[in-house]
Amino acid sequence: MALFMTKDKRLKELKNNIEDLTVEDFFLYSEKIVVPYELIGRNEEWRKSSEILLYVLKSTMYAFEYFSEEAFNEEVLAYIAKFGQPVDVQYFKKFPILLTNNTIIANSIKHKPEEFLKLLSNDDITKEVIEVLEKIRFVPTKSDVIKFPSLLTSNKLVNSRLADEPTLIKDIRDLNKDIVVTAMRAGYVPTKEDIMANPSMMEYSDLMLKAVEKDPSIVAIIDEEYLNRVIESTAVEYGYVPTEKDILAHPYFIKWTNLMSAAIKNDPSLIRYITFETFVPHSILVDALKKYKVTKNDIINYPGLTTHSIMSE
């Protein structure tokens, strides 16, 4: 490179010899002129140089397109992350290595979250990314929640979606009180199919109560540990009457006063299933015994029956 030369001539010399220049030559020319970034793309060694990329980044964050992915080493990624400016989604498509830096992702996702999420996997949804999405009040779609279960760790993100689409709760396995309350406020009432598909709903008594008010037969699919007196009495109040098949499928029904009272009043023969654990009003049992005669076979086949005080009267 000649020592005394005008900037125009030096630039012309640079262009004429671009393909044969070294990384060292880049910095020598940069001391004399501003090297056009587009020329970097014409020199294979320059395109792969982390040193040159780092130098360029100190002037502009938007010269990525002239480099190849080999130029993005840890030092370069750390500088981009520290700079704090968003990187356009197009560069993540061209240079997937950018996705290996959580800070770069968090800095960038806030501008085009919908497009950005298309590039990510659930492992990329870090605490930092979630904080950014919360800050910009991002509302995930149902497909977002399914693709990125990590979004469910944020009540803010989940609730923003549930407010418009409460049925999304069916797909959330790690429920909490805030999520359930938001869904209920938006009018959600689970069906029998919903509860069977997502049994964790049973843990929320208010949600189960709403379900039973709409379909009292749902009481028969609620696990015993989640059944309570309010749910039980509401099911009966809204018309549920256990059948013999129900009692056989749910032996614990014999401990629930309202359920067994309704069952025996409807079918006196179901008195066969009572035991010392059954607390049904005396008048209902007396009436049942008037309508159904307990046989010797009943005593043999239903030994629990003899443990109830009504049989000693």
Side-chain angles (χ1 to χ4, degrees):
M1 183 173 66
L3 293 177
F4 303 103
M5 188 181 295
T6 64
K7 290 184 178 181
D8 288 342
K9 286 185 178 181
R10 202 175 295 281
L11 180 57
K12 184 177 180 180
E13 179 190 61
L14 171 62
K15 290 179 178 179
N16 290 337
N17 299 289
I18 186 67
E19 294 181 1
D20 301 319
L21 299 176
T22 66
V23 171
E24 183 180 0
D25 291 329
F26 172 85
F27 288 103
L28 288 173
Y29 273 102
S30 295
E31 290 176 0
K32 305 296 181 181
I33 61 173
V34 176
V35 178
Y37 299 134
E38 60 269 20
L39 293 181
I40 295 172
R42 291 171 52 189
N43 183 297
E44 190 65 20
E45 190 175 348
W46 290 8
R47 290 181 66 245
K48 296 179 179 180
S49 172
S50 300
E51 190 178 1
I52 293 177
L53 176 53
L54 199 58
Y55 174 85
V56 170
L57 286 174
K58 292 176 181 178
S59 299
T60 177
M61 288 291 293
Y62 302 101
F64 293 153
E65 59 191 287
Y66 303 114
F67 292 85
S68 63
E69 194 165 43
E70 291 95 323
F72 291 80
N73 64 11
E74 289 299 322
E75 186 179 3
V76 168
L77 293 176
Y79 182 84
I80 296 171
K82 183 179 180 181
F83 198 75
Q85 291 297 311
V87 176
D88 194 273
V89 68
Q90 64 174 312
Y91 295 120
F92 283 88
K93 293 178 181 178
K94 186 175 181 179
F95 306 114
I97 194 172
L98 292 169
L99 292 169
T100 64
N101 188 289
N102 293 335
T103 303
I104 295 176
I105 293 174
N107 289 339
S108 307
I109 198 170
K110 57 189 173 185
H111 291 279
K112 296 179 181 179
E114 293 83 3
E115 290 186 38
F116 226 99
L117 286 172
K118 295 177 184 177
L119 305 177
L120 304 182
S121 69
N122 187 57
D123 290 339
D124 298 318
I125 306 299
T126 61
K127 180 181 178 181
E128 292 77 15
V129 169
I130 288 175
E131 287 176 352
V132 171
L133 292 175
E134 288 177 344
K135 189 173 182 179
I136 64 173
R137 297 184 179 179
F138 175 69
V139 179
T141 63
K142 182 176 181 179
S143 60
D144 289 336
V145 173
I146 293 173
K147 182 180 178 182
F148 307 109
S150 293
L151 294 176
L152 298 176
T153 62
S154 166
N155 284 353
K156 288 183 180 179
L157 294 180
V158 174
N159 289 345
S160 66
R161 179 73 267 161
L162 285 173
D164 295 324
E165 190 177 358
T167 57
L168 179 64
I169 194 175
K170 295 185 295 183
D171 301 304
I172 302 175
R173 293 298 176 263
D174 296 323
L175 293 176
N176 59 50
K177 186 176 180 180
D178 287 342
I179 289 174
V180 171
V181 168
T182 298
M184 290 180 66
R185 285 176 177 169
Y188 176 69
V189 178
T191 64
K192 187 178 296 185
E193 292 71 25
D194 293 346
I195 298 167
M196 293 176 71
N198 190 353
S200 63
M201 289 185 183
M202 295 184 198
E203 300 174 28
Y204 299 90
S205 58
D206 288 345
L207 189 61
M208 289 301 95
L209 184 59
K210 286 294 182 183
V212 167
E213 287 176 349
K214 184 175 182 180
D215 178 1
S217 69
I218 282 176
V219 71
I221 66 167
I222 299 176
D223 291 347
E224 183 179 11
E225 63 182 304
Y226 302 121
L227 191 58
N228 60 44
R229 293 299 177 191
V230 175
I231 292 175
E232 178 222 15
S233 61
T234 299
V236 173
E237 180 185 346
Y238 278 73
Y240 176 67
V241 178
T243 63
E244 183 170 12
K245 183 178 179 181
D246 293 337
I247 295 172
L248 288 171
H250 310 287
Y252 56 87
F253 273 11
I254 65 170
K255 304 176 188 177
W256 294 87
T257 300
N258 292 296
L259 290 175
M260 285 305 290
S261 295
I264 292 171
K265 286 173 70 175
N266 182 66
D267 180 357
S269 72
L270 296 183
I271 196 173
R272 293 169 295 155
Y273 291 96
I274 66 173
T275 73
F276 69 94
E277 295 182 288
T278 307
F279 297 95
V280 172
H282 186 267
S283 60
I284 293 177
L285 296 179
V286 170
D287 187 59
L289 289 172
K290 289 179 181 178
K291 297 175 180 177
Y292 177 77
K293 182 175 177 57
V294 176
T295 67
K296 186 175 181 180
N297 283 337
D298 289 336
I299 299 297
I300 296 171
N301 294 327
Y302 305 94
L305 176 58
T306 59
T307 66
H308 196 286
S309 60
I310 190 70
M311 299 305 296
S312 62
E313 293 183 7

